[in-house]
């Protein structure tokens, strides 16, 4: 699974998907979130892309100029993500709902990504997913 961390963009599949986001914008988000509907068993690469897309939705329209403890994280954000977020406003409610549903699919049974992190004692991954779910619920 070409992953070097538990964050949404700390794996090869999510980083590769960012090129699609840069090229296709919101259409890439919709396509990524629709991956949750395409298979009985959700493969890890698709799950990684879904998590990345859900993170993008959670960050859309959020003011990043606030002085908070996450400023160091902003410096590590992929360039494609920063460029996309600079040009978009808040996500439409339907996109937020799709992100929440897709993320639920990633964390449900029959998800290879969940299984891989569970096998690796992925407490940090689960904490990141829980935080992402919380932020999406606030949208």
């Amino acid at each position: 699974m070409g992953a070097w961390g538990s964050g949404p963009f700390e794996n090869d599949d999510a980083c590769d998907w960012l090129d699609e986001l840069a090229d296709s914008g919101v259409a890439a988000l919709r396509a990524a979130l629709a991956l949750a509907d395409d298979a009985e068993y959700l493969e890890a690469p698709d799950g990684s892309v879904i998590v990345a897309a859900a993170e993008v939705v959670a960050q859309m329209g959020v003011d990043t100029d606030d002085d908070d403890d996450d400023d160091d994280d902003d410096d590590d954000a992929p360039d494609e993500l920063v460029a996309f977020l600079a040009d978009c406003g808040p996500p439409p409610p339907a996109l937020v709902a799709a992100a929440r549903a897709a993320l639920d699919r990633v964390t449900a049974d029959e998800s290879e990504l969940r299984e891989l992190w569970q096998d690796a004692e992925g407490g940090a991954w689960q904490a990141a997913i829980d935080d992402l779910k919380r932020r999406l619920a606030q949208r």
Side-chain angles (χ1 to χ4, degrees), residues 94-137:
L95 192 59
V96 174
R100 290 158 81 186
L103 197 57
D104 284 344
R105 177 67 176 87
V106 170
T107 58
D109 292 341
E110 304 301 321
S111 169
E112 183 182 27
L113 187 61
R114 181 194 57 81
E115 291 172 1
L116 289 170
W117 280 107
Q118 189 174 35
D119 290 347
E121 297 181 27
W125 181 80
Q126 188 60 55
I129 294 295
D130 290 345
D131 177 63
L132 177 53
K133 285 183 174 185
R134 179 192 54 77
R135 289 183 288 123
L136 285 169

Side-chain angles (χ1 to χ4, degrees), residues 5-11 14-15 48-49 51-53 55 59 128 132 135:
S6 58
F9 302 105
E10 294 179 343
N11 64 79
C15 288
S48 295
V49 168
V51 171
E55 179 64 36
Q59 290 189 36
L132 177 53
R135 289 183 288 123

Side-chain angles (χ1 to χ4, degrees), residues 10-132:
E10 294 179 343
N11 64 79
D12 292 335
D13 297 308
C15 288
D16 291 345
W17 173 78
L18 284 171
D19 291 332
E20 292 179 41
L21 179 67
D23 292 340
S24 302
V26 174
L29 283 173
R30 287 189 179 103
L33 297 173
L35 293 170
D37 302 328
D38 288 345
E40 262 184 53
Y41 185 78
L42 187 62
E43 300 288 337
D46 289 346
S48 295
V49 168
I50 290 167
V51 171
E55 179 64 36
V56 172
V57 172
Q59 290 189 36
M60 289 174 70
V62 173
D63 184 8
T64 57
D65 293 333
D66 292 341
D67 291 330
D68 60 20
D69 294 335
D70 293 335
D71 286 342
D72 292 337
D73 294 339
D74 294 341
D75 295 337
D76 295 335
D79 292 341
E80 300 90 344
L81 174 62
V82 172
F84 176 80
L85 293 174
D87 292 334
C88 67
L95 192 59
V96 174
R100 290 158 81 186
L103 197 57
D104 284 344
R105 177 67 176 87
V106 170
T107 58
D109 292 341
E110 304 301 321
S111 169
E112 183 182 27
L113 187 61
R114 181 194 57 81
E115 291 172 1
L116 289 170
W117 280 107
Q118 189 174 35
D119 290 347
E121 297 181 27
W125 181 80
Q126 188 60 55
I129 294 295
D130 290 345
D131 177 63
L132 177 53

